[in-house]
Amino acid sequence: MDARAIAMGLAFALMWSSAFTSARIIVQDASPLFSLAVRFLISGLIGVAIARAMGQTWRLTPGQWRATVIFGICQNALYLGLNFVAMQWIEASLAAIIASTMPLLVALAGWALFGERLRPLGYAGLAAGILGVALIMGTRLGAGVDLLGVGLCVIGVLALTAATLALRGATSGGNFMMVVGLQMLIGSAVLFVAAPLTEDIFVTPTWRLAAAFTYTTIVPGLMATFIWVLLLNRIGAVRAATFHFLNPVFGVAVASMLLGEKLGPLDLLGVAIVTGGILAVQLARQADRPKAGLSRAAKPG
């Protein structure tokens, strides 16, 4: 892994993790699904325009179209949609911690569904990740965390796992920015249908809403997704997903700095355990990559 790939991975992790804090700000002044639909519409149109300026085409391969549609629905409509709704009731740091378990779920799916074997380090990482999440959830449940919000985040991370497993088809064949723009437009279309059916649409114009919306549209929405797709193409999904071990740390840090969210000692211990578990799983899967049939077939993150 070269210096450029490391820089891309660090940038992606920080951008991706900061999205939970900006989302928490947005849902205080606007209905979640409608605001997310508008965000994806803007980001998608910008992405497609940039792609066309770069000479890219929307004539994707069948595999790219299939993966792009699945990714647009699973990540953008389901994962982010459910997280936006959930953050009306739970803190951004907790949502970030739940979402950061995606690499553990991908590894678990590889073992349970595809027969992928892990090294002992990988199994230890899975066990540590489960333990860390249980520790965090135990402290939050004791403090009276909103169970609906937690449940929505859990469903969302399962959808993100499915999207990650389907992503390889969208990274081969070029047209990376076009893929980014189109999957956002697909998510936007789904959310524009869901919003009036599930929520009372409202927007309260404030400076913090404008700032958070602009940031989340451009940085986590467009730049982070583009960097992630480029990183997948550069070093492969198994190695790229190693950077996800930074997400719980960055997510908690950004929420603490900008929103003043507090974490107790057991929360911090749980974050450290989850972080270590994610890193162990990804290092084990990276070492096993030449042997793993799943990594050749689906290359999950």
Side-chain angles (χ1 to χ4, degrees), residues 138-200:
T139 60
R140 295 304 179 93
L141 290 175
V145 70
D146 187 275
L147 294 180
L148 176 59
V150 171
L152 293 176
C153 286
V154 170
I155 297 172
V157 77
L158 292 175
L160 179 61
T161 301
T164 303
L165 289 168
L167 185 56
R168 182 173 183 261
T171 63
S172 58
N175 293 316
F176 301 129
M177 179 56 80
M178 184 62 72
V179 167
V180 170
L182 290 176
Q183 54 97 351
M184 288 182 177
L185 292 178
I186 290 169
S188 176
V190 174
L191 289 169
F192 269 124
V193 172
L197 298 176
T198 59
E199 66 184 13
D200 295 325

Side-chain angles (χ1 to χ4, degrees), residues 12 14 29 33-34 47 50 53 59 66 81 98 124 127-128 133 135 148-149 206 232 248 271 275 278 281 283 296:
F12 162 76
L14 181 57
D29 294 321
L33 296 186
F34 178 75
I50 293 174
R59 293 179 181 176
R66 182 172 57 253
I98 295 173
V133 172
L135 184 62
L148 176 59
T206 63
L232 289 173
V271 169
T275 300
I278 294 170
V281 166
L283 291 177
R296 292 192 298 269

Side-chain angles (χ1 to χ4, degrees), residues 100-112 116-133 161 164-165 237-246 272-289 292 294-295 300-301:
S100 70
T101 62
M102 183 271 291
L104 300 174
L105 294 174
V106 168
L108 185 61
W111 170 74
E116 180 184 9
R117 293 187 177 183
L118 294 175
R119 292 172 179 254
L121 177 63
Y123 290 112
L126 281 175
I130 294 171
L131 175 63
V133 172
T161 301
T164 303
L165 289 168
V238 174
R239 297 176 68 191
T242 305
F243 289 100
H244 276 289
F245 89 93
L246 294 169
I273 294 174
V274 170
T275 300
I278 294 170
L279 180 60
V281 166
Q282 295 305 326
L283 291 177
R285 297 181 72 242
Q286 180 175 326
D288 282 344
R289 187 183 179 188
L294 175 61
S295 65

Side-chain angles (χ1 to χ4, degrees), residues 230-252:
L230 289 179
L231 189 63
L232 289 173
N233 186 64
R234 187 178 184 86
I235 63 176
V238 174
R239 297 176 68 191
T242 305
F243 289 100
H244 276 289
F245 89 93
L246 294 169
N247 290 331
V249 177
F250 284 166
V252 167

